[in-house]
Amino acid sequence: MRSGGVTAEFAGRDAYGAFAWIAPPEDGAPLSFTVEKDGVPDGPARTLDATAAGEVWTREGSSLVDATRPAEAQAPQDATKAVIHYRRPAGDYEGWGLHAWTGAAHPPEWNEPLRPVRQDAFGLVFEVDLSPGAGSLSYILHKKEEKDVPGDEALVFPLHGKEVWRLAGDPAYLSPSLGGAFPLDLGRQDAVWLDATTVVWRGTGTGVASQQLVYGPGGIVLADGALSDEGRWLRLLPSALTAGQRAAHPAYADWRAFTIDPRDLDRAAEAREGQLIATQRAADGALLGATGVQQSPH
């Protein structure tokens, strides 16, 4: 795959086909890319808006990209195991292992970490047997006393699933990329309550089934990928900004718009008085995005 002067080799294959990763522009601009073999493009250039979706699928000869995970890309997974793929760009894998505790059915000793079950085109593959009912896995990738990242890591299953890909030195997961239009960070304000009934934010996220405003008297925090208190909800329905709204608020003209569900409007004034959080959730209720809300005067 080629974008500008950058070439990303396919790192491997999954149930859908070959996959590769490439860093998007830092300024958030759309990324144009081609799929090539021996310098010959496979069809026209495709365009990826990384602010809306971090993972897309395309087909041979097509200019279209799809941010919705195709059914054929969802291979059956052993629910009793967590799988961590680990890549070291220099290929220096000798001696690296995985220490695991909370969530692991058989936590290893520090000096005898779990060894990879195999190595593929991406890197090492670690499989961890899980304890019954585990909701997360605590782990450290290390080589004797050398840790891949300084802090302990936790794979939260409702948020990331049980199979993820990691690059050395970077705790962020490459895949799956299910996530909201904004990160799980209540210290930010990436959503705007624009007028009496309209909320806007940039981008869409992937795997999002519903969105809502969560409110309460205060004290709601994030813990292990979930809110400490679900508070009360104002349901949000996808909509579009009117010409008048775009003219009045040009900075948000290209943002996604949502309307407060008419059934919840009678609680809107109450919601504005306390802590206010915009959230996005997957079909199973997992929290994909959570941010504070700027309240425009209206």
Side-chain angles (χ1 to χ4, degrees), residues 21 68 80 93 104 158 196 216 224 239 273 275:
W21 288 279
T68 301
T80 67
Y93 293 113
D224 294 330
S239 63
E273 297 300 320
Q275 184 180 11

Side-chain angles (χ1 to χ4, degrees), residues 57-241:
W57 289 261
T58 188
R59 291 183 177 274
E60 180 182 0
S62 174
S63 63
L64 300 177
V65 294
D66 191 351
T68 301
R69 184 182 293 265
E72 61 266 36
Q74 303 181 44
Q77 185 178 358
D78 186 347
T80 67
K81 296 179 182 292
V83 182
I84 298 175
H85 300 256
Y86 177 56
R87 179 176 180 83
R88 296 185 64 82
D92 52 338
Y93 293 113
E94 183 66 30
W96 284 91
L98 185 141
H99 181 64
W101 59 103
T102 303
H106 311 290
E109 297 292 333
W110 176 261
N111 292 325
E112 296 182 4
L114 294 175
R115 298 301 177 187
V117 295
R118 62 185 179 277
Q119 183 172 342
D120 59 18
F122 182 76
L124 303 182
V125 182
F126 295 93
E127 294 185 354
V128 184
D129 291 325
L130 300 173
S131 57
S136 64
L137 176 71
S138 299
Y139 69 96
I140 297 172
L141 289 157
H142 72 105
K143 178 180 180 180
K144 296 183 178 179
E145 298 306 314
E146 179 185 356
K147 298 180 180 180
D148 181 63
V149 295
D152 298 346
E153 299 189 67
L155 173 56
V156 181
F157 305 145
L159 183 60
H160 299 290
K162 294 181 178 178
E163 183 171 16
V164 290
W165 281 256
R166 280 265 282 95
L167 288 177
D170 186 353
Y173 299 124
L174 293 173
S175 181
S177 63
L178 288 178
F182 30 80
L184 293 172
D185 187 348
L186 301 188
R188 299 168 59 109
Q189 291 186 318
D190 293 325
V192 181
W193 195 335
L194 200 60
D195 58 31
T197 62
T198 308
V199 177
V200 297
W201 56 65
R202 187 188 298 276
T204 59
T206 55
V208 176
S210 68
Q211 48 280 315
Q212 46 281 137
L213 295 178
V214 177
Y215 68 94
I220 300 176
V221 298
L222 284 164
D224 294 330
L227 297 180
S228 61
D229 187 321
E230 291 298 337
R232 301 191 70 188
W233 290 16
L234 301 181
R235 290 162 289 189
L236 298 176
L237 306 176
S239 63
L241 293 179

Side-chain angles (χ1 to χ4, degrees), residues 236-290:
L236 298 176
L237 306 176
S239 63
L241 293 179
T242 65
Q245 286 174 317
R246 291 196 298 271
H249 307 280
Y252 307 121
D254 296 328
W255 288 31
R256 291 294 303 275
F258 301 87
T259 299
I260 297 173
D261 192 310
R263 295 170 293 179
D264 300 336
L265 273 175
D266 61 334
R267 292 185 285 108
E270 175 187 356
R272 288 171 62 88
E273 297 300 320
Q275 184 180 11
L276 192 59
I277 303 166
T279 60
Q280 292 179 299
R281 296 174 186 270
D284 62 0
L287 193 64
L288 300 179

Side-chain angles (χ1 to χ4, degrees), residues 1 3-4 6 8 20-33 47-56 167 170 174:
M1 189 173 83
S3 176
V6 178
W21 288 279
I22 192 165
E26 294 184 359
D27 61 3
L31 182 151
S32 178
F33 69 93
T47 300
L48 163 62
D49 181 1
T51 65
E55 184 177 19
V56 294
L167 288 177
D170 186 353
L174 293 173

